[in-house]
Amino acid sequence: MDFRLRDFRYPYTIYMRRRELEKSQWFNNKRLPEIQSDRLRKLILHCYENVPYYRSLFNGRGLKPDDIKSPEDLKLLPILTKDTVRENFRELVATNAKRFSPILGHTGGTTGTALEFYVDSCANILEFATVWRHWNWAGYSFGDRFCDLRGRIIRGEKPYSFDWRLNAMFLSSYRMTREMVKEYAVQLRSFKPRIIRGYPSAIDIFARLLRESGIDDIRPKAVVTSSETLLAQQRKNLEEVFGCKVFDTYGLEERSAAAGQCPEGNMHADSEYGVIRVLNDGRDIPEGEEGEFICTGLHNYAMPLINYRTNDVGIFSTDKCPCGRGLPVIKSITGRVEDMIATPDGRNVAGSGLSVAFKYSMGIRLSQIIQEDINEMTVKIVRSPSYNENDEKTLLSNLRDRVGHVIRIKIEYVDDIPLTKAGKLKFVISKVRPDVR
């Protein structure tokens, strides 16, 4: 979601949806599930009547739409994987999809294998309104100036651009060097954005370069992160450099689920947006236990994705948030399955947990962990001028505390770590096959 002009195709509808979300966030934990179940029933009926894949699935299992009355009943349906979407693309598109003004979307994923899907106008309107709500939690009011730092390709000599109609300044994560960062700082001092939003890795690199350059006067009211797992040391670095809170958000290009951090620091799942089930070994698990997120978007009628496997792992909390919102609290989102290091002794260690191992090696500017096979992991390091031998010793000791002593750890010093095609910096890249895990 870019808050681009083309997203204003339905301005009145977006505004009304935003008003609805402003009210519903304060509903209690009884009314919100009722709204969610009502929307799910309508979606299921639509799927049975208009989506060939689901009609065949229901008939094959002897099910009728009335059998799915609430999110708990979704266990009657199989998990929908990305491979299943690719293999059944035509059958997953509603026969009446055109009436919902669908747009073809894409996502690449860490493996580079693209996935295509349709999202309709209703799903995009809800996405816009939900992002608007998340930004409001960070102190942003619609029309305030904001700076966007993501994988944008900016043409021309200048490494930045402006859209004064949106009150937006755009920076590119592809062209970030120490020299360019100084120019970024000049423009930011003049522009004075209320928030800086972007990929955690991109803003973290920017903050580190600002610190190395002795620049300490870039002071937005908040930093909003999205599209990647926000690591603990990234949050710490951003809050120190920018002197403000960091508000993390969670979402999927497939419009299946969304969540955002409130002013109290808790991550809230957007119940009105979609259903998030937490599964372990194919079964629903209670709140407080870690499992894989299986999501069902409630508003994309052009190409509904029910019980969609996200490969994201997290934990829901039973705690109520002091902010007073009735939206469920997500205790943590530890990352994607492919963002985990598999060890020979049968463990899977999340990248968010491994990131803590780098916390006390202050001479490391950038780092990346790559695992080609189960027995070895390679740690790529870009050194800052202050790097010394103690940084490596400290890092190895902290890594061993987390991955054990069976797996080999190889340190590789590099001049730079390339970004993905989307302009992100992947912290963990695991190429270990699921069956090996």
Side-chain angles (χ1 to χ4, degrees), residues 17 21 24 31-41 43 70-72 74 122-123 126-127 130 133-134 250-252 254-260 268-278 293-301 304-308 310 316 326-330:
R17 180 68 76 185
L21 293 180
S24 61
R31 188 173 178 186
L32 280 168
E34 290 174 351
I35 293 172
Q36 196 176 64
S37 294
D38 180 63
R39 289 179 177 169
L40 177 62
R41 287 192 293 270
L43 178 70
S70 69
E72 289 74 22
L74 287 171
C122 185
L126 181 69
E127 172 74 6
T130 302
R133 179 165 77 177
H134 292 164
Y250 170 77
L252 300 164
E254 297 91 323
R255 305 290 189 258
S256 298
H268 291 274
D270 296 296
S271 300
E272 314 96 330
Y273 193 109
V275 175
I276 303 178
R277 298 172 63 204
V278 185
F293 284 1
I294 304 298
C295 300
T296 300
L298 297 173
H299 295 264
N300 185 16
Y301 277 52
L305 301 179
I306 299 174
N307 275 347
Y308 181 64
T310 65
F316 270 79
L327 301 168
V329 174
I330 299 176

Side-chain angles (χ1 to χ4, degrees), residues 415-428:
D415 295 329
D416 195 15
I417 296 176
L419 304 178
T420 67
K421 290 181 179 180
K424 303 177 184 179
L425 177 66
K426 289 287 295 174
F427 177 58
V428 172

